[in-house]
Amino acid sequence: MSIIELVDLKKVYMGNHVALDGVSMTIPHSTVFGLLGPNGAGKSTIINILAGVVKRSEGIAKIFGKTIEHDDYIHKKDIGFVLEDPHYLEKLTATEYLHFCGALYELKSTDIKERVNELLTFFDLKGRATSQIETYSNGMKKKVSLAAALIHQPKLLILDEPLEGIDPTSAKQIKDTLRLMADRGVTVVLSSHNLDTVEKFCDEVAIIHKGKLVFQTKTEEIRIKI
Ligand code: ADP
Ligand code: ADP
């Protein structure tokens, strides 16, 4: 079963900038799937369309078989997003931010408390949980974003450059978490401009270049095709 389906997806930003030039692909259930391509290829645009923060110009984007419409948050109950430039509230502490996210998903407050505690422990954030997020390192901020994306135990996780600009320890924690999620049957979709990251980590890869899908392949075959 495919979890994500794109059909001839196009995005033209203001000023006639073509960011996606007809991308079609399907992302299967229970894989770790990489969107690989250089900066400017269109990876974030795909992810932002899936997240509903950018509106597609043409084509179809479906998640769980349902078409994504702008401002349609219904399908998001089963999805966790980590966008590249998270606009979370930096004046909040990690504890406050995670409580806020739990409330957005309408979780019960006792469940939120337990879940926040579990996530802060899991990501080694407890020591700084009552400091404002703006004082955190990039790695810690990424972990807070990931914790927020996991708060409602989604079936699908979509992450934009989750390992970019962070320290090796945080990167390892994030990779281990994503692997653990995948082993539990969560579908993980991530973007990267780093072949090594994708090759070591993903089961399947789509190469994106200049707004087009160049090819999609199982990771073990990637070196043959590049
Ligand atoms: P990637 O994530 O692969 O680096 P993006 O999806 O961010 O690629 O960008 C694809 C192209 O669209 C780039 O040329 C980028 O400059 C352009 N672009 C991205 N966002 C905007 C925007 N809000 N307005 C105009 N152009 C944009
Ligand atoms: P188990 O496999 O028995 O759940 P883990 O060490 O994987 O043990 O997890 C310990 C606790 O942390 C569990 O309560 C689990 O739900 C939670 N947990 C584990 N991984 C994550 C994660 N990536 N995000 C959120 N909670 C997690």
Side-chain angles (χ1 to χ4, degrees):
M1 191 184 81
S2 70
I3 288 260
I4 293 177
E5 186 182 359
L6 309 180
V7 185
D8 209 14
L9 191 65
K10 293 187 182 153
K11 176 64 190 176
V12 183
Y13 284 108
M14 288 230 287
N16 282 342
H17 189 100
V18 181
L20 294 179
D21 193 11
V23 172
S24 300
M25 68 165 92
T26 58
I27 299 182
H29 184 258
S30 300
T31 35
V32 179
F33 191 95
L35 296 171
L36 177 68
N39 282 332
K43 306 179 299 293
S44 296
T45 302
I46 293 175
I47 288 177
N48 289 335
I49 289 173
L50 293 173
V53 298
V54 163
K55 203 167 181 172
R56 70 198 148 81
S57 304
E58 282 177 53
I60 298 168
K62 285 184 181 177
I63 303 185
F64 300 122
K66 286 191 202 136
T67 305
I68 295 153
E69 292 306 337
H70 200 42
D71 294 334
D72 173 2
Y73 287 90
I74 294 162
H75 66 276
K76 290 193 177 169
K77 293 236 170 204
D78 291 325
I79 313 173
F81 287 100
V82 177
L83 301 183
E84 198 171 16
D85 183 20
H87 296 288
Y88 46 69
L89 310 161
E90 295 227 331
K91 295 283 173 205
L92 297 185
T93 68
T95 305
E96 288 165 344
Y97 178 63
L98 293 176
H99 272 91
F100 166 77
C101 293
L104 281 185
Y105 285 107
E106 297 173 355
L107 306 182
K108 277 203 306 208
S109 63
T110 46
D111 293 347
I112 295 176
K113 213 166 171 189
E114 194 180 323
R115 187 84 184 130
V116 168
N117 197 28
E118 197 176 277
L119 287 162
L120 290 172
T121 306
F122 185 79
F123 284 113
D124 243 348
L125 291 164
K126 269 236 142 129
R128 293 287 298 283
T130 53
S131 312
Q132 289 177 334
I133 293 169
E134 66 182 1
T135 66
Y136 291 8
S137 68
N138 286 338
M140 290 167 74
K141 287 182 184 176
K142 270 281 187 334
K143 288 193 288 184
V144 173
S145 313
L146 183 53
L150 291 172
I151 195 117
H152 57 308
Q153 298 175 300
K155 299 190 185 97
L156 168 63
L157 254 181
I158 302 181
L159 314 105
D160 202 352
E161 297 274 7
L163 305 172
E164 182 58 12
I166 62 172
D167 60 281
T169 310
S170 299
K172 180 162 187 325
Q173 274 176 326
I174 289 177
K175 280 196 237 180
D176 289 350
T177 305
L178 298 183
R179 198 27 84 190
L180 182 70
M181 295 292 106
D183 291 345
R184 290 177 180 177
V186 173
T187 304
V188 177
V189 178
L190 62 95
S191 74
S192 178
H193 59 266
N194 186 321
L195 173 60
D196 259 10
T197 299
V198 166
E199 192 175 26
K200 289 203 187 101
F201 196 62
C202 298
D203 308 314
E204 198 166 333
V205 182
I207 311 280
I208 313 287
H209 186 54
K210 293 189 175 167
K212 289 189 194 288
L213 173 69
V214 183
F215 62 83
Q216 182 173 342
T217 185
K218 300 267 186 230
T219 307
E220 62 259 26
E221 287 162 25
I222 195 168
R223 293 273 175 192
I224 304 165
K225 299 202 180 173
I226 285 182

